[in-house]
Amino acid sequence: QVQLVESGGGLVQAGGSLRLSCAASGSFFRLNTMSWYRQAPGKQRELVASVTTGGLTNYADSVKGRFTISRDNAKNTVYLYLQMNSLKPEDTAVYYCKAEPGGWVPAGSWGQGTQVTVSS
């Protein structure tokens, strides 16, 4: 069963840091670009950052210079990380891990989300 599980969310003060993790069970995820999205209350889900199978990264303008995405293609699990520094209240959202469509996951796959709350 395709499964992505996020962890690492929580409550942090503005200016603080958090590290999100996502475990994608299945070595076949090595073939997928992996991404972090977020959705704030009343807003559409938006792409935060992505990393290709070759390690190329892409960031939303709003997080450039503050967030870092990385991946670790372990034997049976692909781990995805999002290091978030200099957090702002506007970063408050539910953060989702996603395997983008491709390889053995043609429709892509989403995690269940983890809440990040940044207090001012």
Side-chain angles (χ1 to χ4, degrees), residues 16-20 66-67 82-87 95 116:
S17 298
L18 281 176
R19 189 191 195 209
L20 304 184
R66 299 189 297 122
F67 291 11
L82 186 68
Q83 178 66 43
M84 305 186 294
N85 298 327
S86 303
L87 283 161
Y95 284 71
V116 172

Side-chain angles (χ1 to χ4, degrees), residues 93-114:
V94 177
Y95 284 71
Y96 297 89
C97 170
K98 183 185 180 185
E100 299 292 350
W104 293 99
V105 194
S109 184
W110 290 93
Q112 82 288 350
T114 186

Side-chain angles (χ1 to χ4, degrees), residues 27-39:
S27 60
F28 49 82
F29 282 113
R30 297 182 182 190
L31 302 178
N32 294 85
T33 291
M34 301 293 292
S35 302
W36 287 100
Y37 289 75
R38 67 185 181 187
Q39 188 167 19

Side-chain angles (χ1 to χ4, degrees), residues 5-13 15-23 36 66-73 78-87 91 95-97 114-118:
V5 180
E6 301 99 333
S7 61
L11 173 64
V12 64
Q13 288 188 332
S17 298
L18 281 176
R19 189 191 195 209
L20 304 184
S21 300
C22 172
W36 287 100
R66 299 189 297 122
F67 291 11
T68 302
I69 189 171
S70 61
R71 66 187 291 164
D72 177 11
N73 296 328
V78 172
Y79 295 97
L80 183 70
Y81 304 102
L82 186 68
Q83 178 66 43
M84 305 186 294
N85 298 327
S86 303
L87 283 161
D91 295 318
Y95 284 71
Y96 297 89
C97 170
T114 186
Q115 177 70 47
V116 172
T117 303
V118 184

